[in-house]
Structure formats: C-alpha cells, structure tokens
C-alpha cells in the first residue's frame, strides 16, 4: 500500500471492458515510475488473459495514459481531481458534453416539423425509453443531477414548440389545458396525452457508485 511505498492498482470494469488506475507514492520521477508500473501490469495482464482465457488485448484500445489527460471509458469521461471535502485526489466519472449534445439531437429529430402529424402519445412512447435509458446509464456520474435538469428543460421546451406547430391555430392556454397534465407529487405541469406522460430524467436517483457493489474481477 502507499504506507509501505508500494504501487496501487484500482480496476473498474463492465462486461469485457475495463480500466486500471495506477497510483505510486509521491517523489522524484513519480510519473515515470507509474508509467513503468502500468506497462508491466499491461504485459502481465496480456499474458494472463492469453493463457487462461485465450483472449488477446487490443493494442489499439489498450493504452497507457496519464490521468492528467481526458480518459474515455464506456461513454463516460474519467478524470482525476481534488476532492472538495477531504482534499485528496480521487477519480471521477463525468457525462461527456458530446453525449448530452447527441441526446439533444436525437430528441430534436423526434420532434421535427415533419412529425407534427403524429400524436403526442406516439412521440412520448418513443421518447421516454430513450430518456430513461440515458438517465440510468449516467446516474453514477459526478454532476449528473445538474445535467439531467438541463436535459429536462430542453425536452419540455422542445415539446412546447412542437405542439405550437402542431396546433398553430390554437391558443397557448388551450394547449396547456389539453396536454399540460399534472402527475401526482410532480411540481408544475408535465406534458402528457392518452395516459402517457413525459419522463423526467431528473427523477432518476443519482448516487456515487460504490466499489463494494462490484465483485473483484479474475485479473485482479
């Protein structure tokens, strides 16, 4: 461990994808020693996987990268930062900006002008699974609650603009009366039609992922 001056390897995995964070005690040449330890671990891991499972590590995807540079893992951005409370360096997963932008583009395509002939219920049946899956995928990311609230705001106004185009000759108050339905324990009004209500990503519980939930992988 760090008290004895030994290297620490912290593995995170999902299915057959994994990332190993390497930490060495501070001192002269710390980055060089960490890189050397990472390359040794990479070689040992490749040998173990080849011998026990018949698997080969992809040289293109298996990289040794300093934690000071952005790291992408399973659609998340992994970075190392100083903890705001106890001050020590910790690894953190974030929602990449590109992921939020791509979700917005998918939402916009669902509510483009050419779809105004469809019913709101039809659009919600396509939209809600997309929002629910995206929210649960990123629910362990740091700052996810703020990102979710931003997406909800965008979705609400996208549907509002779509309904205005769909009912161009109907007053706004009538649109609210027809589609601005309330759900139990929900603040304000939420879009809904024919028993289908807009799913709000901000309702997804956000919490830090705990290592105790993860069984140690065989290579650890």
């Amino acid at each position: 461990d760090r008290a004895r001056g030994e290297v620490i390897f912290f593995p995170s995995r999902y299915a057959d994808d994994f990332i190993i964070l390497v930490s060495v005690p501070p001192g002269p040449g710390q980055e060089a020693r960490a890189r050397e330890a990472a390359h040794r671990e990479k070689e040992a891991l490749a040998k173990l996987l080849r011998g026990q499972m018949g698997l080969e590590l992809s040289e293109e995807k298996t990289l040794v990268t300093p934690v000071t540079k952005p790291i992408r893992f399973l659609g998340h951005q992994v970075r190392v930062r100083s903890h705001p409370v106890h001050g020590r360096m910790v690894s953190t997963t974030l929602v990449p900006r590109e992921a939020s932008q791509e979700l917005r583009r998918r939402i916009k395509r669902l509510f483009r002008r050419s779809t105004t002939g469809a019913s709101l219920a039809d659009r919600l049946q396509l939209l809600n699974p997309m929002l629910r899956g995206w929210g649960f995928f990123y629910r362990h990311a740091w700052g996810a609650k703020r990102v979710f609230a931003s997406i909800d705001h965008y979705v609400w106004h996208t549907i509002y603009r779509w309904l205005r185009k769909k009912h161009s000759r109907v007053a706004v108050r009538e649109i609210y009366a027809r589609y601005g339905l309330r759900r139990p324990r929900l603040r304000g009004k939420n879009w809904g039609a024919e028993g289908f209500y807009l799913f709000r990503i901000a309702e997804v519980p956000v919490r830090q992922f705990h290592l105790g939930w993860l069984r140690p992988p065989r290579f650890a």
Side-chain angles (χ1 to χ4, degrees):
D1 55 25
R2 296 182 67 88
R4 294 184 292 180
E6 298 178 355
V7 180
I8 297 176
F9 298 96
F10 182 84
S12 298
R13 69 182 177 93
Y14 182 83
D16 60 346
D17 293 308
F18 59 87
I19 183 173
I20 300 178
L21 300 175
V22 181
S23 175
V24 299
Q30 181 183 27
E31 182 176 343
R33 288 184 286 118
R35 183 177 293 275
E36 180 182 355
H39 279 287
R40 288 199 307 268
E41 183 69 9
K42 177 183 175 181
E43 294 175 3
L45 180 59
K47 183 178 180 180
L48 184 146
L49 292 176
R50 187 183 306 112
Q52 293 192 10
M53 304 179 187
L55 301 176
E56 294 288 341
L57 282 181
S58 170
E59 287 297 326
E60 296 181 357
K61 298 181 179 180
T62 310
L63 307 176
V64 176
T65 307
V67 294
T68 53
K69 296 182 179 180
I71 302 173
R72 284 299 179 87
F73 180 59
L74 296 174
H76 291 69
Q77 182 178 356
V78 181
R79 57 175 288 193
V80 172
R81 66 184 181 91
S82 176
H83 194 280
V85 178
H86 50 62
R88 66 174 182 266
M89 301 302 290
V90 295
S91 59
T92 304
T93 58
L94 305 172
V95 180
R97 183 184 300 272
E98 301 80 39
S100 298
Q101 293 174 341
E102 174 59 25
L103 178 62
R104 290 171 185 248
R105 285 192 289 268
R106 293 171 63 190
I107 295 168
K108 186 176 181 179
R109 287 195 294 268
L110 275 180
F111 292 93
R112 56 185 181 271
R113 180 179 290 274
S114 61
T115 66
T116 54
S119 67
L120 179 59
D122 171 72
R123 296 293 92 185
L124 292 178
Q125 289 180 74
L126 296 174
L127 174 65
N128 284 345
M130 180 193 308
L131 297 177
R132 185 177 291 106
W134 199 88
F136 276 91
F137 184 77
Y138 285 111
R139 69 188 185 278
H140 298 306
W142 182 79
K145 183 63 73 174
R146 174 180 51 81
V147 177
F148 290 176
S150 176
I151 293 295
D152 282 344
H153 182 269
Y154 175 79
V155 173
W156 194 95
H157 284 279
T158 297
I159 294 178
Y160 170 77
R161 291 189 294 269
W162 183 81
L163 289 172
R164 289 295 304 273
K165 296 173 185 176
K166 181 179 178 65
H167 302 287
S168 57
R169 299 183 179 181
V170 176
V172 174
R173 63 178 180 275
E174 294 183 23
I175 293 178
Y176 280 135
R178 185 183 304 182
Y179 299 106
L181 306 178
R182 291 183 180 273
R183 292 176 57 189
R185 296 179 297 176
L186 182 67
R187 291 183 178 179
K189 288 192 174 182
N190 192 32
W191 299 122
E194 302 174 32
F196 295 95
Y197 301 92
L198 171 63
F199 177 81
R200 293 188 175 181
I201 304 184
E203 296 179 0
V204 175
V206 174
R207 61 179 302 188
Q208 181 182 4
F209 185 86
H210 295 287
L211 185 61
W213 299 342
L214 190 67
R215 293 184 178 181
R218 293 178 61 183
F219 61 76

